[in-house]
Amino acid sequence: AWQSLEFLQSLIQIIFPSASIRPFWFDFSFNLNVVVIVVALMLILWLISGVFAAWRVSNKDIATSINNDARGSTSKQSNRVSRFLVSVQVVLSFFLLVLSGSFLAIFQGEASRAYEQENSDRIVSGMISLNPDRYGSSSQQQLYRDRLRQELLRVDEVESVTFAAALAGDGSERIRVALDFDSPSDLESAPINAVNWVEPGFFSSQGFIVSEGRQFNRLDTSESLPVVIVDTAFVEAYGSVSSLIGGTINFINYPVLSELDRQIEQAQIVGIVPYLGPNNSQSERTPRIYRPLAQGATDRFRMIAGLVPEIEIQYGELETKFKLASGAVDRDVSIYDMELVSVTNSRVAALVNILASAFSGVAVGALVLAAVGLYGLVSRAVIARRGEMGVRRAIGSTNFRVIAIFMRQGLGYLAAGIVVGGSFAVLVVNALGSTPFGPSLFSVLYSVFLTVTALVGIMVVLASYIPAKKVVALEPGEALHYE
């Protein structure tokens, strides 16, 4: 574990070479606190697993234990305990494997869906946070952006400047969208779409063409009619024979954290742009909706600057020029976390890959522990019935019937895991439905459920069949000695 954490920490330092951009909680060091917690957990597990068994043994009546007439009842009691433990193990294993498998599928899916923007090595992005006391209205924020754009365009290396809440292919928030609905409850269960607040020149400055309708313009302000631009994924999901241009969409915020988020808003569709999202399958595309930055008062947004292709870029000098330009507009506001979009995309993809790898290790570990635990408990339950099987075979039962008894028992354990463990897993996924992971979990739950059912079924069958073969391999007289 220590070696794995050291390797993980080295990858984090490669991805985030500067401590200023590294999340403070990305610390996978193996320290004394971790050792103390692990030792405490091991002691608790030792007590839970050992004290009860020791108490049962110490409280047994000696005369009863050595009385041959009582051995059958003791064996039955032991078998009941074993079957209960096996059932609990199967249920817990099924539940944990479904959840961990679902999250693993999400991380691996995100790692393979990275959006790659063309010429991203010639686009610089940085964050800007305005003081809400000084820039509280959308008009004040727009005035700041206009002045900063003028200063940045004076930099020789800069070709274009635009502002947005998030980079192309990403979204700053989520909403539930419906073209028509009968009641507010219908809208609360509508599909989830990503939203990005952008300036009028967002698309043209990055080489994206509006395929139908128009771009945003200076007339799209907080005082004008709310408008949106949708992408082709939205058209494919909601479109009809007629054009969506001029139509109205209805939406509420997601997730719903307060009554204000339940407020229904409307906006008119004025344009359609290409799908600027991850290159995943059509069924998993999340439509992107774009709103005018001037119609939403947000004091935190991104500066996105396109660089002149022919000029050689000295990034250190360029960063200094950008900070001087922002200081000329407002010395109390600075552009921070500035870097090439290609670097940002690579870091995000690498971070998702690391999380996917880490979660893969956890999932594999859980699978191994589940396999070992299940095999140990199920095989013990089988071996404990050697004497009973000896009696059955002595009075004429065939090897096939003996093995069938344990296979039916194993299928009963599997059924308990599917019904109880699977039901709990579905309930947890349903409870997570209001979180950002909820929709993704629902989308992979079916396939993960079937996979876990197959894996747990194989483990239970092998844990039942292999010991059963050993039992029937014994002579009936030899098996009777184990009673």
Side-chain angles (χ1 to χ4, degrees):
W2 172 68
Q3 289 291 338
S4 300
L5 290 175
E6 286 291 320
F7 174 71
L8 188 60
Q9 191 68 23
S10 65
L11 291 180
I12 294 297
Q13 292 175 354
I14 293 174
I15 297 173
F16 299 100
S18 173
S20 62
I21 63 173
R22 186 186 311 145
F24 71 92
W25 49 273
F26 267 47
D27 182 12
F28 296 95
S29 57
F30 200 76
N31 52 45
L32 182 60
N33 291 335
V34 175
V35 176
V36 171
I37 292 173
V38 170
V39 171
L41 289 174
M42 293 298 296
L43 289 174
I44 292 173
L45 290 173
W46 168 63
L47 290 173
I48 292 175
S49 60
V51 169
F52 178 70
W55 175 80
R56 286 188 62 208
V57 171
S58 64
N59 282 273
K60 279 186 177 181
D61 181 65
I62 298 177
T64 302
S65 298
I66 62 177
N67 190 342
N68 289 334
D69 294 336
R71 291 173 67 186
S73 60
T74 304
S75 177
K76 290 180 181 179
Q77 182 181 4
S78 177
N79 287 336
R80 284 196 297 268
V81 173
S82 295
R83 287 194 291 270
F84 172 76
L85 290 176
V86 174
S87 300
V88 171
Q89 176 78 359
V90 173
V91 168
L92 289 177
S93 298
F94 199 96
F95 169 75
L96 293 175
L97 287 174
V98 168
L99 280 189
S100 61
S102 298
F103 277 103
L104 176 60
I106 292 174
F107 281 120
Q108 288 182 333
E110 291 297 325
S112 62
R113 300 173 195 163
Y115 173 66
E116 297 181 0
Q117 183 177 350
E118 293 184 4
N119 302 321
S120 58
D121 57 340
R122 305 296 297 184
I123 302 175
V124 174
S125 173
M127 293 301 303
I128 298 174
S129 295
L130 300 178
N131 187 337
D133 296 331
R134 296 179 56 188
Y135 301 95
S137 66
S138 57
S139 59
Q140 291 173 323
Q141 295 168 7
Q142 186 60 51
L143 180 60
Y144 171 84
R145 289 192 291 267
D146 290 338
R147 294 179 59 191
L148 180 58
R149 181 186 293 104
Q150 293 176 1
E151 292 295 331
L152 291 174
L153 287 175
R154 292 174 182 170
V155 178
D156 295 335
E157 294 88 345
V158 176
E159 184 178 49
S160 63
V161 177
T162 188
F163 299 93
L167 294 172
D170 201 356
S172 61
E173 58 188 71
R174 299 290 188 271
I175 58 175
R176 290 190 181 273
V177 178
L179 297 182
D180 300 299
F181 64 96
D182 297 326
S183 64
S185 59
D186 294 337
L187 192 55
E188 291 181 7
S189 59
I192 298 171
N193 292 192
V195 177
N196 192 3
W197 297 82
V198 303
E199 276 213 322
F202 176 79
F203 300 105
S204 58
S205 64
Q206 300 184 77
F208 304 130
I209 300 174
V210 176
S211 56
E212 187 177 350
R214 66 171 178 87
Q215 292 196 58
F216 297 133
N217 56 46
R218 292 295 178 182
L219 298 178
D220 298 321
T221 64
S222 57
E223 288 78 24
S224 63
L225 178 72
V227 293
V228 296
I229 292 176
V230 299
D231 64 5
T232 53
F234 183 94
V235 175
E236 292 165 358
Y238 301 89
S240 57
V241 178
S242 59
S243 173
L244 293 177
I245 298 296
T248 301
I249 66 170
N250 307 276
F251 54 91
I252 59 174
N253 290 334
Y254 172 83
V256 177
L257 302 177
S258 64
E259 287 301 320
L260 185 62
D261 293 329
R262 297 182 185 275
Q263 183 177 352
I264 299 175
E265 299 182 62
Q266 291 184 328
Q268 185 182 53
I269 301 174
V270 297
I272 299 175
V273 295
Y275 171 71
L276 308 180
N279 297 320
N280 48 359
S281 63
Q282 178 62 41
S283 60
E284 295 176 333
R285 282 186 172 186
T286 299
R288 263 67 174 166
I289 294 177
Y290 301 90
R291 305 189 66 184
L293 201 53
Q295 289 189 348
T298 174
D299 51 26
R300 189 172 184 271
F301 48 85
R302 279 188 175 274
M303 176 279 306
I304 305 172
L307 305 181
V308 179
E310 295 80 12
I311 298 180
E312 182 178 353
I313 303 300
Q314 299 294 331
Y315 187 76
E317 296 180 5
L318 183 64
E319 186 175 8
T320 302
K321 292 179 181 180
F322 274 53
K323 292 185 180 297
L324 290 174
S326 64
V329 178
D330 188 338
R331 65 178 58 188
D332 294 328
V333 179
S334 179
I335 303 174
Y336 62 95
D337 287 352
M338 227 182 81
E339 62 184 3
L340 295 172
V341 172
S342 59
V343 176
T344 303
N345 293 339
S346 298
R347 188 178 68 248
V348 172
L351 179 59
V352 174
N353 280 321
I354 286 180
L355 292 176
S357 300
F359 220 94
S360 297
V362 173
V364 170
L367 181 62
V368 171
L369 290 176
V372 172
L374 283 176
Y375 188 86
L377 284 173
V378 175
S379 61
R380 180 190 182 280
V382 173
I383 297 298
R385 299 178 65 183
R386 285 176 295 189
E388 176 191 344
M389 296 304 111
V391 173
R392 288 177 179 271
R393 295 178 64 217
I395 60 177
S397 181
T398 64
N399 292 349
F400 176 80
R401 289 183 178 179
V402 171
I403 294 177
I405 292 174
F406 296 113
M407 298 305 294
R408 286 195 298 269
Q409 179 179 273
L411 292 177
Y413 295 143
L414 179 60
I418 294 174
V419 174
V420 182
S423 299
F424 275 116
V426 172
L427 288 176
V428 171
V429 170
N430 185 65
L432 294 173
S434 60
T435 68
F437 287 115
S440 299
L441 285 173
F442 278 118
S443 65
V444 301
L445 181 60
Y446 180 74
S447 57
V448 171
F449 200 97
L450 292 180
T451 303
V452 171
T453 300
L455 289 175
V456 175
I458 292 173
M459 289 189 291
V460 171
V461 168
L462 291 177
S464 302
Y465 179 76
I466 295 176
K469 285 288 290 183
K470 294 181 179 179
V471 169
V472 298
L474 298 173
E475 292 295 331
E478 183 182 358
L480 290 172
H481 288 294
Y482 291 101
E483 175 64 27

